[in-house]
Short mmCIF file of all heavy atoms in Angstrom, two decimals:
data_model
loop_
_atom_site.label_atom_id
_atom_site.label_comp_id
_atom_site.label_asym_id
_atom_site.label_seq_id
_atom_site.Cartn_x
_atom_site.Cartn_y
_atom_site.Cartn_z
N GLN A 140 -180.49 44.88 -85.43
CA GLN A 140 -180.60 43.46 -85.11
C GLN A 140 -179.47 42.65 -85.73
O GLN A 140 -178.89 41.76 -85.09
CB GLN A 140 -181.97 42.90 -85.60
CG GLN A 140 -183.19 43.49 -84.83
CD GLN A 140 -184.50 43.15 -85.46
OE1 GLN A 140 -184.55 42.36 -86.40
NE2 GLN A 140 -185.56 43.70 -84.93
N ALA A 141 -179.11 42.95 -86.93
CA ALA A 141 -178.04 42.19 -87.59
C ALA A 141 -176.71 42.49 -86.92
O ALA A 141 -175.90 41.58 -86.72
CB ALA A 141 -177.97 42.60 -89.11
N CYS A 142 -176.41 43.75 -86.57
CA CYS A 142 -175.13 44.05 -85.92
C CYS A 142 -175.06 43.45 -84.53
O CYS A 142 -174.02 42.91 -84.13
CB CYS A 142 -175.02 45.61 -85.79
SG CYS A 142 -174.64 46.44 -87.35
N ARG A 143 -176.24 43.42 -83.83
CA ARG A 143 -176.23 42.78 -82.49
C ARG A 143 -175.99 41.31 -82.60
O ARG A 143 -175.26 40.75 -81.82
CB ARG A 143 -177.52 43.09 -81.81
CG ARG A 143 -177.59 42.56 -80.38
CD ARG A 143 -178.85 43.04 -79.62
NE ARG A 143 -178.77 44.46 -79.34
CZ ARG A 143 -179.66 45.36 -79.71
NH1 ARG A 143 -180.70 45.00 -80.45
NH2 ARG A 143 -179.54 46.62 -79.44
N ALA A 144 -176.67 40.69 -83.60
CA ALA A 144 -176.50 39.24 -83.77
C ALA A 144 -175.04 38.84 -84.14
O ALA A 144 -174.55 37.80 -83.72
CB ALA A 144 -177.47 38.73 -84.84
N ARG A 145 -174.38 39.68 -84.92
CA ARG A 145 -173.04 39.40 -85.37
C ARG A 145 -171.98 40.02 -84.46
O ARG A 145 -170.77 39.98 -84.82
CB ARG A 145 -172.85 39.82 -86.80
CG ARG A 145 -173.79 39.19 -87.79
CD ARG A 145 -173.57 37.70 -87.98
NE ARG A 145 -172.24 37.43 -88.51
CZ ARG A 145 -171.88 36.36 -89.14
NH1 ARG A 145 -172.77 35.39 -89.33
NH2 ARG A 145 -170.65 36.18 -89.60
N ARG A 146 -172.40 40.69 -83.40
CA ARG A 146 -171.46 41.31 -82.45
C ARG A 146 -170.56 42.34 -83.14
O ARG A 146 -169.35 42.49 -82.89
CB ARG A 146 -170.58 40.25 -81.75
CG ARG A 146 -171.38 39.31 -80.90
CD ARG A 146 -170.55 38.21 -80.31
NE ARG A 146 -169.46 38.71 -79.48
CZ ARG A 146 -169.58 39.11 -78.23
NH1 ARG A 146 -170.75 39.00 -77.65
NH2 ARG A 146 -168.55 39.53 -77.53
N LEU A 147 -171.18 43.08 -84.12
CA LEU A 147 -170.45 44.14 -84.78
C LEU A 147 -170.86 45.49 -84.13
O LEU A 147 -172.02 45.82 -84.12
CB LEU A 147 -170.81 44.16 -86.26
CG LEU A 147 -170.16 45.30 -87.09
CD1 LEU A 147 -168.65 45.09 -87.20
CD2 LEU A 147 -170.74 45.39 -88.48
N PRO A 148 -169.88 46.26 -83.62
CA PRO A 148 -170.26 47.55 -83.05
C PRO A 148 -170.88 48.44 -84.13
O PRO A 148 -170.35 48.57 -85.24
CB PRO A 148 -168.91 48.11 -82.62
CG PRO A 148 -168.03 46.93 -82.36
CD PRO A 148 -168.45 45.92 -83.41
N LEU A 149 -172.00 49.05 -83.76
CA LEU A 149 -172.73 49.99 -84.63
C LEU A 149 -172.77 51.34 -83.90
O LEU A 149 -173.25 51.44 -82.77
CB LEU A 149 -174.17 49.52 -84.92
CG LEU A 149 -175.04 50.46 -85.67
CD1 LEU A 149 -174.48 50.75 -87.05
CD2 LEU A 149 -176.50 49.96 -85.75
N VAL A 150 -172.25 52.40 -84.57
CA VAL A 150 -172.21 53.70 -83.97
C VAL A 150 -172.94 54.62 -84.90
O VAL A 150 -172.72 54.65 -86.13
CB VAL A 150 -170.73 54.19 -83.81
CG1 VAL A 150 -170.69 55.59 -83.16
CG2 VAL A 150 -169.96 53.22 -82.95
N THR A 151 -173.81 55.49 -84.36
CA THR A 151 -174.53 56.49 -85.11
C THR A 151 -174.01 57.88 -84.84
O THR A 151 -173.49 58.17 -83.76
CB THR A 151 -176.05 56.47 -84.81
OG1 THR A 151 -176.24 56.78 -83.43
CG2 THR A 151 -176.62 55.08 -85.12
N LEU A 152 -174.06 58.78 -85.87
CA LEU A 152 -173.68 60.15 -85.77
C LEU A 152 -174.94 60.99 -85.97
O LEU A 152 -175.54 60.95 -87.02
CB LEU A 152 -172.59 60.51 -86.75
CG LEU A 152 -171.26 59.76 -86.66
CD1 LEU A 152 -170.33 60.11 -87.81
CD2 LEU A 152 -170.57 59.99 -85.30
N ALA A 153 -175.23 61.86 -84.99
CA ALA A 153 -176.42 62.69 -85.07
C ALA A 153 -176.19 63.94 -85.90
O ALA A 153 -177.16 64.57 -86.39
CB ALA A 153 -176.90 63.07 -83.68
N ARG A 154 -174.92 64.32 -86.06
CA ARG A 154 -174.60 65.50 -86.86
C ARG A 154 -173.67 65.17 -87.99
O ARG A 154 -172.97 64.17 -87.97
CB ARG A 154 -173.89 66.55 -85.97
CG ARG A 154 -174.85 67.20 -84.93
CD ARG A 154 -174.16 68.31 -84.19
NE ARG A 154 -175.08 69.01 -83.34
CZ ARG A 154 -174.75 70.11 -82.64
NH1 ARG A 154 -173.49 70.56 -82.70
NH2 ARG A 154 -175.62 70.71 -81.87
N ASP A 155 -173.68 66.09 -88.98
CA ASP A 155 -172.83 65.93 -90.14
C ASP A 155 -171.35 65.97 -89.70
O ASP A 155 -170.96 66.83 -88.94
CB ASP A 155 -173.15 67.02 -91.14
CG ASP A 155 -172.47 66.74 -92.49
OD1 ASP A 155 -172.15 65.57 -92.74
OD2 ASP A 155 -172.30 67.69 -93.27
N VAL A 156 -170.54 65.08 -90.26
CA VAL A 156 -169.10 64.98 -89.93
C VAL A 156 -168.35 64.89 -91.26
O VAL A 156 -168.81 64.22 -92.16
CB VAL A 156 -168.80 63.80 -89.05
CG1 VAL A 156 -167.28 63.57 -88.95
CG2 VAL A 156 -169.41 63.96 -87.67
N ASN A 157 -167.25 65.58 -91.35
CA ASN A 157 -166.38 65.55 -92.48
C ASN A 157 -165.60 64.27 -92.47
O ASN A 157 -164.59 64.14 -91.75
CB ASN A 157 -165.43 66.76 -92.57
CG ASN A 157 -164.67 66.87 -93.84
OD1 ASN A 157 -164.29 65.83 -94.46
ND2 ASN A 157 -164.35 68.07 -94.25
N PHE A 158 -166.01 63.26 -93.25
CA PHE A 158 -165.39 61.94 -93.19
C PHE A 158 -163.91 62.02 -93.64
O PHE A 158 -163.06 61.23 -93.16
CB PHE A 158 -166.17 60.97 -94.09
CG PHE A 158 -167.41 60.46 -93.48
CD1 PHE A 158 -168.29 59.61 -94.20
CD2 PHE A 158 -167.74 60.71 -92.18
CE1 PHE A 158 -169.46 59.11 -93.62
CE2 PHE A 158 -168.88 60.26 -91.58
CZ PHE A 158 -169.77 59.45 -92.30
N LEU A 159 -163.61 62.92 -94.57
CA LEU A 159 -162.23 63.05 -95.05
C LEU A 159 -161.33 63.49 -93.90
O LEU A 159 -160.20 63.00 -93.74
CB LEU A 159 -162.16 63.99 -96.24
CG LEU A 159 -160.75 64.19 -96.82
CD1 LEU A 159 -160.20 62.83 -97.35
CD2 LEU A 159 -160.79 65.22 -97.99
N GLU A 160 -161.83 64.44 -93.17
CA GLU A 160 -161.04 64.93 -92.03
C GLU A 160 -160.86 63.82 -90.94
O GLU A 160 -159.79 63.70 -90.36
CB GLU A 160 -161.75 66.18 -91.38
CG GLU A 160 -160.90 66.81 -90.30
CD GLU A 160 -161.61 68.06 -89.72
OE1 GLU A 160 -162.67 68.47 -90.25
OE2 GLU A 160 -161.09 68.60 -88.70
N VAL A 161 -161.93 63.04 -90.76
CA VAL A 161 -161.81 61.93 -89.85
C VAL A 161 -160.71 60.96 -90.30
O VAL A 161 -159.87 60.50 -89.49
CB VAL A 161 -163.18 61.18 -89.71
CG1 VAL A 161 -163.03 59.86 -88.92
CG2 VAL A 161 -164.23 62.02 -89.08
N THR A 162 -160.73 60.68 -91.59
CA THR A 162 -159.69 59.76 -92.11
C THR A 162 -158.32 60.34 -91.89
O THR A 162 -157.39 59.53 -91.48
CB THR A 162 -159.95 59.56 -93.64
OG1 THR A 162 -161.24 59.03 -93.81
CG2 THR A 162 -158.94 58.61 -94.21
N GLN A 163 -158.05 61.56 -92.16
CA GLN A 163 -156.75 62.19 -92.02
C GLN A 163 -156.29 62.08 -90.56
O GLN A 163 -155.11 61.72 -90.25
CB GLN A 163 -156.78 63.61 -92.47
CG GLN A 163 -156.96 63.77 -94.00
CD GLN A 163 -157.14 65.24 -94.41
OE1 GLN A 163 -157.58 66.06 -93.61
NE2 GLN A 163 -156.84 65.52 -95.69
N VAL A 164 -157.17 62.48 -89.62
CA VAL A 164 -156.80 62.49 -88.19
C VAL A 164 -156.52 61.10 -87.68
O VAL A 164 -155.52 60.85 -87.02
CB VAL A 164 -157.89 63.17 -87.36
CG1 VAL A 164 -157.62 63.01 -85.88
CG2 VAL A 164 -158.03 64.65 -87.71
N VAL A 165 -157.37 60.18 -87.99
CA VAL A 165 -157.22 58.79 -87.51
C VAL A 165 -155.98 58.13 -88.12
O VAL A 165 -155.20 57.47 -87.42
CB VAL A 165 -158.49 57.94 -87.75
CG1 VAL A 165 -158.26 56.50 -87.34
CG2 VAL A 165 -159.67 58.53 -86.97
#
Side-chain angles (χ1 to χ4, degrees):
Q140 294 170 5
C142 287
R143 182 173 291 123
R145 301 293 297 201
R146 298 174 59 82
L147 176 69
L149 173 64
V150 180
T151 62
L152 299 175
R154 289 187 173 184
D155 190 22
V156 169
N157 188 327
F158 282 175
L159 181 60
E160 187 179 352
V161 171
T162 301
Q163 292 173 336
V164 171
V165 175

